[in-house]
Amino acid sequence: MKMNEKIRNMTIGLFCAATVSILLTGCGSGEATKQSAAADDSLDTIIEKAKEEGEIASLGMPDTWANWVGTWNDLEKEYGLSHVDTDMSSAEELAKFESEGKNGTADIGDVGISFGPLAESKELTLPYKTKYWEEIPDWAKDDDGDWLLSYTGTISFITDKENVKQAPTSWKELQEGDYQVSVGDVTVANQAQFAVLAAAIANGGDEKDIQPGLNYYKKMAEKGRLSTVDASVANLEKGEIDVAVVWDFNGLNYRDQIDSERFEVTVPTDGSIISGYTTLINKNAPHPNAAKLAREYILSDEGQINLAKGYARPIRKVELPKEVAEKLLPEDAYEAAVPVEDNEAWNKTSVELPELWQEEVLTYAK
């Protein structure tokens, strides 16, 4: 599955539907899980227990997403953990945890940041901080280790230089252009909704005040510049996209898949938004120690480098090999990018955004 497909599915509105649709499949018991996952176990003890468990089942962490395959291969080589993944959206992951209850079949999942607090509030998670806890920014974790980000994404532009003479480097330049801009479907796509938030931030708004972002795209719609073409690898390769607003790791991945000379990826210098993905350990995981060990490894230097190889930006400051660092944008490209300050406010806004987008932007599209 391509990166943007997972992001497109990661919407809170899917949660209720997914809860109804997912079938219960029993394997393991909640009581056994609680007994085998002691909160005060040392890392050495966790490793030994994980080796005894011998396997790990993940959700939404397929080989092709953020180079998870590198981490699964390492865990098998180092600790003998066999791995299986069921690819699904963030909403579906939480729904599976909740619907299966004590008969949990999955150990760990990878979800968007807004789903971390939601999972914690539903008491679906097994907290575990890892030894790298203090190196994780406060905005990227909860107090108890129920969720903590492994990697981040920042809203950026990918420009086809065969279609656009000068790649935009700011929202101001993007607005002043005469080319088509692909934002995605704001009514359903998480990436597209963050594209609106990023534009709002660049124009004086925030997660509580999305209006500047709506006004920004309204002007673009009135000029007939909003493209309905999906920013997929196929469409980019065919030249059907001029500029697309995407996560940086998507843009960089697309760039290198097609032609790194043809496409340019830029983080807008007048403001953008940083978000990311967090691992969740299922409270009723059949292999809780394997899940803890996986989170530990994901946050290690080796695990963070694995993610960077898949174009995801590590949450910890680690020294990347030269060939890996060269695939990413430099640190100074992110000077104007900020994380979501109020996740609760953004969750509320993102629920309201589809209707606002229809009424205040698409109505004016030509």
Side-chain angles (χ1 to χ4, degrees):
M1 183 181 69
K2 297 181 180 69
M3 284 189 175
N4 68 325
E5 291 173 338
K6 179 176 177 182
I7 294 174
R8 184 162 57 244
N9 289 329
M10 196 195 76
T11 55
I12 297 175
L14 288 174
F15 186 79
C16 293
T19 303
V20 173
S21 65
I22 291 176
L23 298 177
L24 296 178
T25 52
C27 177
S29 87
E31 289 305 312
T33 297
K34 293 175 184 176
Q35 292 169 5
S36 62
D40 58 353
D41 277 347
S42 67
L43 180 55
D44 287 341
T45 299
I46 290 171
I47 290 172
E48 289 307 309
K49 288 183 176 181
K51 287 179 177 179
E52 291 174 8
E53 292 168 353
E55 56 186 307
I56 183 168
S58 67
L59 302 177
M61 304 172 80
D63 289 354
T64 54
W65 176 272
N67 188 42
W68 281 125
V69 65
T71 289
W72 302 131
N73 287 343
D74 288 350
L75 287 170
E76 183 170 16
K77 181 180 178 181
E78 296 294 325
Y79 305 106
L81 299 182
S82 63
H83 169 253
V84 63
D85 181 78
T86 303
D87 196 9
M88 53 178 57
S89 71
S90 300
E92 291 170 328
E93 292 177 42
L94 264 62
K96 188 172 179 68
F97 282 3
E98 186 170 31
S99 64
E100 292 185 345
K102 293 184 177 180
N103 297 310
T105 62
D107 300 303
I108 191 169
D110 184 46
V111 301
I113 186 172
S114 63
F115 289 85
L118 181 59
E120 183 184 4
S121 71
K122 290 176 171 288
E123 299 182 351
L124 301 175
T125 54
L126 181 69
Y128 180 64
K129 291 187 174 183
T130 90
K131 66 181 182 181
Y132 306 100
W133 180 256
E134 296 301 326
E135 299 179 48
I136 309 301
D138 289 342
W139 68 267
K141 61 188 178 185
D142 77 308
D143 293 337
D144 302 314
D146 288 279
W147 59 270
L148 64 157
L149 266 60
S150 306
Y151 58 99
T152 66
T154 300
I155 288 295
S156 307
F157 308 146
I158 180 170
T159 302
D160 186 341
K161 292 186 287 185
E162 291 185 356
N163 296 346
V164 178
K165 189 173 296 185
Q166 184 67 42
T169 60
S170 68
W171 294 100
K172 184 175 184 293
E173 289 181 7
L174 188 71
Q175 186 67 259
E176 293 173 348
D178 59 358
Y179 40 78
Q180 293 285 296
V181 177
S182 174
V183 182
D185 189 348
V186 175
T187 64
V188 297
N190 180 73
Q191 178 177 255
Q193 292 177 353
F194 271 99
V196 181
L197 176 58
I201 287 172
N203 289 278
D206 56 26
E207 50 269 64
K208 296 178 182 178
D209 178 17
I210 201 69
Q211 196 60 48
L214 293 168
N215 294 342
Y216 178 89
Y217 286 109
K218 176 185 174 181
K219 291 179 183 178
M220 199 169 283
E222 289 174 331
K223 296 176 183 178
R225 294 183 55 217
L226 279 186
S227 171
T228 58
V229 179
D230 180 48
S232 65
V233 170
N235 289 334
L236 284 160
E237 191 168 14
K238 287 186 291 185
E240 296 185 3
I241 300 290
D242 295 337
V243 178
V245 185
V246 296
W247 292 121
D248 55 349
F249 54 76
N250 272 335
L252 294 168
N253 186 27
Y254 301 159
R255 178 197 69 183
D256 289 354
Q257 277 192 62
I258 306 169
D259 183 350
S260 60
E261 296 299 319
R262 175 180 161 188
F263 292 91
E264 184 172 346
V265 179
T266 54
V267 179
T269 56
D270 46 358
S272 190
I273 191 70
I274 301 171
S275 189
Y277 284 77
T278 171
T279 53
L280 296 179
I281 299 176
N282 188 359
K283 180 176 69 174
N284 296 298
H287 315 105
N289 297 288
K292 286 184 176 182
L293 180 57
R295 177 180 276 182
E296 190 77 43
Y297 191 82
I298 289 164
L299 272 297
S300 71
D301 288 3
E302 295 82 358
Q304 294 283 280
I305 291 170
N306 279 341
L307 289 167
K309 289 178 180 177
Y311 302 93
R313 201 162 190 85
I315 194 65
R316 288 182 53 235
K317 292 186 180 301
V318 298
E319 185 174 349
L320 300 176
K322 181 180 178 182
E323 66 275 13
V324 177
E326 287 176 347
K327 295 168 67 174
L328 305 180
L329 297 176
E331 284 285 344
D332 59 9
Y334 295 86
E335 289 180 356
V338 296
V340 173
E341 292 184 0
D342 189 335
N343 280 306
E344 185 175 345
W346 172 238
N347 290 344
K348 183 175 183 294
T349 298
S350 62
V351 170
E352 299 170 348
L353 188 52
E355 184 175 352
L356 293 172
W357 181 259
Q358 291 273 13
E359 293 176 353
E360 301 192 31
V361 178
L362 294 187
T363 300
Y364 298 90
K366 294 181 179 180

